[in-house]
């Protein structure tokens, strides 16, 4: 068959990955076992802050099947400190971060000892026999209290709970005016404080690590998003040369940023396998995951928006407190900074100032979770746009239209200093409004208000953009990030005409095997089925920066296109030799190399074989068409779109029902519309979940009270509606695919659309905000007190597991 | 304790600890790792299998309770190299991303369609309430279950009625776009 009749890019190819996944033939890390394999289990601190005054492991060592028991003191020499790759300021405070606590624990769930035994059950049994005495210390939970004079300290040796303060000011950067002037000259100044509650990424596959020390290289299988970074960091932390470490991310069951980490468990499993000389595996329970794998969000946002009375935006001031939790993990302090350039979003304004203070508390460390910084920013600005519209008596879409960057104004340099390459907010919004039936819903809203219906209708808007395709290395360097943002790809042209693609991206549900095959099939004119995509094993894929930040296609896909183009260059040279013509006369199209103006031709497969046998090559040519490329983007990419949500709010029960959800996203050129649509569905679901259901709640002693799937309310099928999705397509101008990235868009856009809709439904009752998650209790309280509903630390978790139809969620 | 169980058509006799869960028995003793564990509170449904034709969460059944019973896992659903129509529909509808929830989802969906061969969207959503997926937002899962229902209808075309299709061979590689 020929794959050239119809372009592969743009086709809704069904996924190559599915066959193994739907038949149970998947290689999850926990599915693997090796001869002589031992099992590791962790003892975790039940208290949030304490000195460890004594650990006695002698009884545990006598338990059946136990091979070794170690404490932090036992591995203190080898374990090093877990890496923080993003020291955002010169004077940032970075606490020592041992994988196993040595003499102090700083959050409930921190690992204090590890047992290695012949079976997983024996390892867990022996944990109970470890005797630990804790001298409890004061627990720091609230960020404002943590910053107060004389506050108890999480890390007394740092002398403060303030980790770092990071500032962007448009006047200083030269990208705009001074915020104080903008506020002074404005007719309207609105101030609001929003809470971004703490969330748990909740990938469905629990984390798992298997380390085999028996070869020359120590092989680490891990349920990770970042095999390449992990390899580097294992070496950096333990001192084992990088050449002696091989990391494999086999099939990985979701990540959402939650597996963008170098974990204590990976390090300790590695050290124990090396120490014992036998393979060791650790797989977490869900409760362990929720307590100890990093959390996301957790910010308090004070926002000041200044505008003229005609609605023209003047300036925006953002003052954030961001909860780091107890330690700085891989990119913990940088997550809020990823939002710093996004609060101004798609709008034009004169002045912008962002100031973020990162704070330590005795809670699980936070780090990346789908969107990482950008959902927080989008939430704040999109909520504020609705507030301003209400203040001025304007239609919220109209107000946005007045202020957004017009399609003819691209490329546009924003007040935050980014240059948006392309976009068409008008087109996406027009399409969304039509699909949504905006006017009819507004009409119904008026009618319900007039007749005092107990069920009120609200309409929420979110016209978002995001910066993704992480990232130009020079920008990362300027932001003090310790690594680059390039991506690598290579292509092996096999003698049989088949093609192996090696990518440095590390998919865990995104379908790269399918999409990358489409790109290569198109570029090289080979059948889709003939392309095999290899990834996630540092021995095969020797170079990469992995998958996160909606980067894989925009950055890794571009590297792939470059590598393919190099294959073609080599093939042309060899074809010219084979066909006895000048290289300039060779035309390449759809896998065929033709001598211009003749019917003399060969194909890429024949040329690959010719190169491979190497019997007759042109002077100076190497015996290979294989090529590789590393792409470092010049700019971020900027997907955008318009999401519209209609909710029905029962004013008597506080119950919220999503009546319809329409989104029109512009993610640039699409390789596989089926995969893109799936990403949008999943992203929107997670955004809605933040608005309505999820909340990682700690009690006053610092214990996570939502530490299982029975308490932390992940939405089920019964909790979510069907979404209407559509697209507009404005190609990115910064990469040859025109792709912008889609992994995080839905999550970024959805949360404010839902909350705006809820507030819109009950605004006439005096409500101007409801804290997330908007549980029936919070909505009811807001409606009945006519003010914003209080939440804060200790607030209740959302309703879930059928709660849209039930009456009180977790209450 | 000694148990004898038929799993995916093969009979096994094993000594198991009384506390061993069925899912542990399947994974650790039999190597049936197609069935996975996603939680420790019986909330996620990733471990769903059929016991005597009924879906159960194998993390909330003891191995000893499976004594004398017949278990079908995701690995036994596509017997003889033929995909079950629900498996096929999950592929055709892009109803999976990472695929971790998928074995449990498919087993639950098969059970759902047995109970109710013609469910509407709400009934499908309610029937899958005990199975969590973090990737798909459920929309394509609902679509897949509905598509499988159409295919499995007694009124459907005769060749669709028997409706087991060879793994791989008949997997279409593209869907028409709406
Ligand atoms: S593992 Fe059985 S329900 Fe979660
Ligand atoms: S496909 Fe990933 S959890 Fe369902």
């Amino acid at each position: 068959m020929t794959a050239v009749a119809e372009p592969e890019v743009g086709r809704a190819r069904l996924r190559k990955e599915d066959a193994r996944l739907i038949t149970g033939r998947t290689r999850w890390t926990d599915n693997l076992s090796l001869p002589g394999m031992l099992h590791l289990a962790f003892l975790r601190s039940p208290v949030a802050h304490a000195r460890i005054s004594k650990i006695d492991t002698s009884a545990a060592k006598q338990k059946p099947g136990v091979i070794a028991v170690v404490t932090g003191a036992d591995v203190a020499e080898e374990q090093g400190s877990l890496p923080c790759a993003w020291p955002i300021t010169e004077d940032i405070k970075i606490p020592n971060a041992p994988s196993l606590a040595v003499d102090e624990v700083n959050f409930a769930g921190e690992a204090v000892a590890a047992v290695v035994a012949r079976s997983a059950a024996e390892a867990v049994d022996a944990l109970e026999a470890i005797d630990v005495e804790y001298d409890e210390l004061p627990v720091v939970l609230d960020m404002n209290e943590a910053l107060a004079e004389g506050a108890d300290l999480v890390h007394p040796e740092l002398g403060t709970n303030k980790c770092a303060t990071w500032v962007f000011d448009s006047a200083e950067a030269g990208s705009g005016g001074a915020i104080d002037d903008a506020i002074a000259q404005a007719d309207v100044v609105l101030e609001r404080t929003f809470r971004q509650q703490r969330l748990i990424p909740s990938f469905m596959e629990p984390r798992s690590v298997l380390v085999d020390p028996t070869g020359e290289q120590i092989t680490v299988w891990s349920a990770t998003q970042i095999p390449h970074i992990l390899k580097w960091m294992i070496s950096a932390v333990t001192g084992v040369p990088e050449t002696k470490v091989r990391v494999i991310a086999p099939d990985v069951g979701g990540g959402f940023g939650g597996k963008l980490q170098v974990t204590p468990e990976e390090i300790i499993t590695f050290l124990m396998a090396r120490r014992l000389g036998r393979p060791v595996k650790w797989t977490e329970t869900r409760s362990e995951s929720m307590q100890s794998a990093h959390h996301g969000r957790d910010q308090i946002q004070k926002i000041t928006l200044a505008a003229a009375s005609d609605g023209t935006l003047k300036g925006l001031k953002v003052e954030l407190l961001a909860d780091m939790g107890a330690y700085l993990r891989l990119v913990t302090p940088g997550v809020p900074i990823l939002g710093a350039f996004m609060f101004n979003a798609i709008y034009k304004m004169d002045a912008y100032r962002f100031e973020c203070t990162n704070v330590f508390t005795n809670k699980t460390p936070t780090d990346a979770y789908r969107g990482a910084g950008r959902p927080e920013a989008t939430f704040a600005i999109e909520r504020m746009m609705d507030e301003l519209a209400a203040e001025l008596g304007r239609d919220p879409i109209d107000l946005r239209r007045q202020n957004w960057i017009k399609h003819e104004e691209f490329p546009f340099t924003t007040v935050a200093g980014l240059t948006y390459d392309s976009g068409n907010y008008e087109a996406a919004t027009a399409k969304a409004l039509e699909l949504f039936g905006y006017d009819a819903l507004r009409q119904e809203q008026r009618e319900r208000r007039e007749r005092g219906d107990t069920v009120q209708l609200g309409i929420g808007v979110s016209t978002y953009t995001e910066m993704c395709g992480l990232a130009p290395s020079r920008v990362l360097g300027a932001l003090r990030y310790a690594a680059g943002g390039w991506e690598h790809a290579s292509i092996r042209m096999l003698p049989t005409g088949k093609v192996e693609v090696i990518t440095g991206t590390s998919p865990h549900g995104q379908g790269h095997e399918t999409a990358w095959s489409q790109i290569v099939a198109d570029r090289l004119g080979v059948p889709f089925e003939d392309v095999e995509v290899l990834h996630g094993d540092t021995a095969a894929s020797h170079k990469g920066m992995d998958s996160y930040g909606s980067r894989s296609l925009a950055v890794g896909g571009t590297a792939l296109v470059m590598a393919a183009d190099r294959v073609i260059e080599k093939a042309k040279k060899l074809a010219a030799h084979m066909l006895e013509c000048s290289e300039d006369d060779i035309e390449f199209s759809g896998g065929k190399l033709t001598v211009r103006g003749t019917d003399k031709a060969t194909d890429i497969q024949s040329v690959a074989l010719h190169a491979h046998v190497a019997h007759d090559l042109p002077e100076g040519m190497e015996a290979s068409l294989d090529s590789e490329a590393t792409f470092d983007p010049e700019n971020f990419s900027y997907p955008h779109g318009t999401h519209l949500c209609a909710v029905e709010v029962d004013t008597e029960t506080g119950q919220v029902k999503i009546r319809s959800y329409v989104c029109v996203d512009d993610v640039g050129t699409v390789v596989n519309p089926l995969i893109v649509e799936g990403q949008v569905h999943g992203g929107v679901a997670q955004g809605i979940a933040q608005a309505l259901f999820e909340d990682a709640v700690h009690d006053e002693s610092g214990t996570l009270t939502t530490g299982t799937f029975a308490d932390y309310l992940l939405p089920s099928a019964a909790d979510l509606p069907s979404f209407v999705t559509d697209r507009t397509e404005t190609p990115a101008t910064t990469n040859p695919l025109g792709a912008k990235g889609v992994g995080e868009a839905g999550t970024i856009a959805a949360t404010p659309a839902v909350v705006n809709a809820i507030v819109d439904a009950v605004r006439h009752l005096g409500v101007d905000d409801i804290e997330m998650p908007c549980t029936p209790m919070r909505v009811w309280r807001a409606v009945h007190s006519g003010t914003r509903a209080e939440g804060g630390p200790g607030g209740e978790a959302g309703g879930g597991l059928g709660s849209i139809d039930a009456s009180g969620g977790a209450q | 304790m000694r148990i004898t169980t038929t799993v995916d058509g093969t009979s096994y006799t094993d000594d198991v600890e009384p506390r061993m869960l069925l899912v542990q028995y399947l994974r650790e003793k039999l190597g049936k790792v197609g069935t996975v564990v996603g939680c420790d509170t019986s909330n996620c449904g990733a471990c769903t299998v059929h016991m005597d034709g009924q879906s159960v969460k194998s993390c909330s059944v003891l191995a000893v309770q499976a004594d004398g019973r017949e278990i079908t896992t995701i690995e036994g659903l596509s017997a003889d190299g033929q995909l079950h129509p629900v498996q096929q529909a999950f592929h055709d509808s892009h109803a999976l991303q990472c695929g971790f929830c998928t074995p449990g989802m498919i087993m639950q969906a098969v059970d759902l369609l047995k109970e109710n061969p013609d469910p509407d969207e709400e009934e499908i959503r309610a029937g899958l309430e005990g199975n969590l997926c973090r990737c798909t937002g459920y929309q394509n899962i609902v679509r897949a279950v509905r598509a499988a229902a159409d295919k499995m209808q007694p009124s459907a075309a005769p060749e669709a009625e028997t409706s087991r299709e060879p793994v791989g061979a008949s997997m279409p590689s593209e869907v028409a776009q709406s």
Side-chain angles (χ1 to χ4, degrees), chain B residues 36-40 42-47 57-60:
Chain B
V36 294
V37 178
C39 74
D40 43 14
S42 304
N43 287 99
C44 77
C47 63
K57 290 181 173 177
S58 61
C59 72
S60 50

Side-chain angles (χ1 to χ4, degrees), chain A residues 15 203-205 253-254 256 508-509, chain B residues 95-102 105 132-136 141:
Chain A
R15 298 197 320 167
F203 36 76
M204 285 308 297
E205 180 210 13
F256 315 111
H508 37 282
Chain B
L96 58 148
Q97 290 179 30
C98 80
F100 194 79
C101 70
T102 308
M105 262 318 163
L132 297 175
C133 173
R134 190 57 154 171
C135 298
T136 64
I141 294 178

